[in-house]
Amino acid sequence: MPGYHKPTEDASIEDFPQVRKARDALEDAESTLSSLQSDLESHKASLTKDYWHDDVFRALDGSCVSTEAGEYTYELCWMKSASQKSRKTGMSVGLGNFGKFSTEVVQDISPAHPGKLVEDERLVLQYSDGHYCWNGPNRSIKVIVECGEENRVLKVWEAEICVYSMRASSPAVCKVNGADASAAAKDYGKQGKPAKDEL
Ligand code: MAN
């Protein structure tokens, strides 16, 4: 038959260009499918993730703020992780990954009567399982959030070795459903998770 070359005895079907092309197309399709599946999984995880009352931290997820304190720069990435970076060497140490929300009563200056201390219940973002600490627990940081115009780190301290605390401000906690942030934090504390609006 003119134009037809019979494959030699040891040629496999894999050697035909059409077969190779089809296999390449299949591999491409499989890799597209697997990347779409992983996108789907991350969207599903994001939908079920707790972003606190009214999903207020969803927009901030992964965005970061930092401050310099003493010999370190502390970076807070909302809902993700926190780190302590040496200003001298640039070495970065993980202070933990975001784990859960809680609340804490703090004493602060009364906005209405400066000079007077008042108790206020604040939202806390707890980060844990940070880098190993020689002679101490794995690093962790508690981020106490108060209402403020900007997302900002206000203060960082290390109360015990490798146990850090941070005060940060964010507009995200100022108004929740018309109620003030403190009332919302109280609500959160009672229920362990935010009350969802009835549809
Ligand atoms: C580093 C820093 C400190 C910490 C010590 C513990 O110097 O992370 O904050 O107290 O390690 O060894």
Side-chain angles (χ1 to χ4, degrees):
M1 225 196 288
Y4 174 73
H5 301 283
K6 189 170 177 277
T8 51
E9 283 298 303
D10 56 354
S12 109
I13 191 153
E14 300 287 315
D15 292 331
F16 283 91
Q18 297 93 319
V19 175
R20 225 177 298 140
K21 222 166 133 191
R23 188 155 19 76
D24 289 349
L26 173 64
E27 277 168 16
D28 283 354
E30 275 171 349
S31 110
T32 308
L33 175 64
S34 117
S35 109
L36 285 173
Q37 269 166 341
S38 99
D39 283 357
L40 176 65
E41 287 313 311
S42 75
H43 286 308
K44 273 191 195 157
S46 158
L47 279 174
T48 51
K49 189 165 165 181
D50 180 4
Y51 287 103
W52 198 57
H53 227 286
D54 268 6
D55 273 3
V56 290
F57 280 103
R58 185 183 288 281
L60 286 182
D61 194 356
S63 69
C64 308
V65 282
S66 63
T67 195
E68 290 182 352
E71 51 187 299
Y72 302 108
T73 300
Y74 289 88
E75 185 178 60
L76 163 73
C77 296
W78 300 102
M79 313 283 305
K80 284 270 177 340
S81 59
S83 66
Q84 178 200 55
K85 191 171 169 181
S86 163
R87 293 171 66 193
K88 246 190 256 157
T89 66
M91 199 182 93
S92 184
V93 163
L95 300 184
N97 296 313
F98 174 70
K100 60 175 184 181
F101 293 107
S102 63
T103 59
E104 183 166 308
V105 176
V106 299
Q107 290 214 324
D108 210 349
I109 294 157
S110 157
H113 307 281
K116 225 181 128 191
L117 283 179
V118 284
E119 287 199 334
D120 194 18
E121 189 157 21
R122 300 259 164 90
L123 179 68
V124 171
L125 273 66
Q126 184 68 51
Y127 293 67
S128 51
D129 289 329
H131 279 185
Y132 169 78
C133 170
W134 188 74
N135 253 356
N138 275 6
R139 289 173 170 83
S140 65
I141 186 162
K142 173 170 84 175
V143 181
I144 306 164
V145 194
E146 63 197 73
C147 163
E149 273 177 38
E150 285 174 64
N151 292 300
R152 214 144 67 87
V153 178
L154 303 174
K155 190 179 162 185
V156 187
W157 67 101
E158 189 176 350
E160 286 167 48
I161 187 162
C162 295
V163 180
Y164 304 81
S165 298
M166 178 183 280
R167 275 182 57 186
S169 66
S170 174
V173 301
C174 293
K175 287 269 175 210
V176 180
N177 274 347
D180 71 305
S182 169
K186 241 173 238 157
D187 187 28
Y188 193 93
K190 260 188 248 144
Q191 302 178 18
K193 71 196 287 287
K196 286 268 176 240
D197 286 337
E198 298 285 346
L199 289 176

